[in-house]
Amino acid sequence: MVLLLFFRWWYTAGWLNAFDRIGARIKIIYDDFSLPILIRTLFEPWKQITSYAPVSSSLDLKFRVWFDNLFARIIGFVIRLGVIFFAITVIVFVAIIGLFLALLWPLVPLLMPVLIYLGVA
């Protein structure tokens, strides 16, 4: 009776739970990498490093400050874009591995007799 209940759970709720865990893992990765924040701040300066020039400063100093700020934004863009691509790669990898494992879920109970046979032989 217990074995029958186990197999009923394994091939119904257990299998659906295996697919649900894929989505949960993807959401955890999405939150850990803070993808919405990275996308929203894509063109912000790296670590909010900005330079300011007084209003009465020379044109040379204003251009230097402008290029410094532009450089900080380019560095911020490159680093954030790299993190976004890495996060997407990890999400795709987790989704593929999770789907593979969820599709193997029905075969796991069949491994017990095979492993017992291989252990005896």
Side-chain angles (χ1 to χ4, degrees):
M1 183 67 179
V2 173
L3 196 60
L4 182 64
L5 289 174
F6 168 75
F7 281 114
R8 190 174 79 180
W9 172 84
W10 188 269
Y11 289 106
T12 56
W15 201 9
L16 291 175
N17 189 16
F19 284 105
D20 288 341
R21 283 190 308 243
I22 297 170
R25 286 186 192 114
I26 289 173
K27 182 169 177 4
I28 289 170
I29 294 168
Y30 180 81
D31 289 338
D32 284 347
F33 279 101
S34 304
L35 285 177
I37 295 172
L38 286 174
I39 292 169
R40 188 173 58 242
T41 62
L42 191 59
F43 294 104
E44 293 293 319
W46 179 243
K47 294 195 175 202
Q48 302 303 319
I49 299 172
T50 54
S51 301
Y52 298 100
V55 177
S56 62
S57 62
S58 67
L59 190 58
D60 181 49
L61 181 61
K62 288 182 182 181
F63 272 120
R64 193 173 323 151
V65 167
W66 185 78
F67 279 116
D68 285 346
N69 291 337
L70 180 65
F71 185 72
R73 287 181 187 273
I74 290 171
I75 295 297
F77 173 78
V78 169
I79 291 174
R80 286 183 184 97
L81 194 63
V83 172
I84 289 170
F85 282 139
F86 182 74
I88 290 171
T89 303
V90 170
I91 286 172
V92 168
F93 181 74
V94 166
I96 290 171
I97 296 297
L99 189 61
F100 176 73
L101 292 175
L103 292 176
L104 285 180
W105 183 266
L107 301 177
V108 172
L110 302 176
L111 284 177
M112 187 171 46
V114 171
L115 293 175
I116 290 172
Y117 173 76
L118 289 175
V120 172

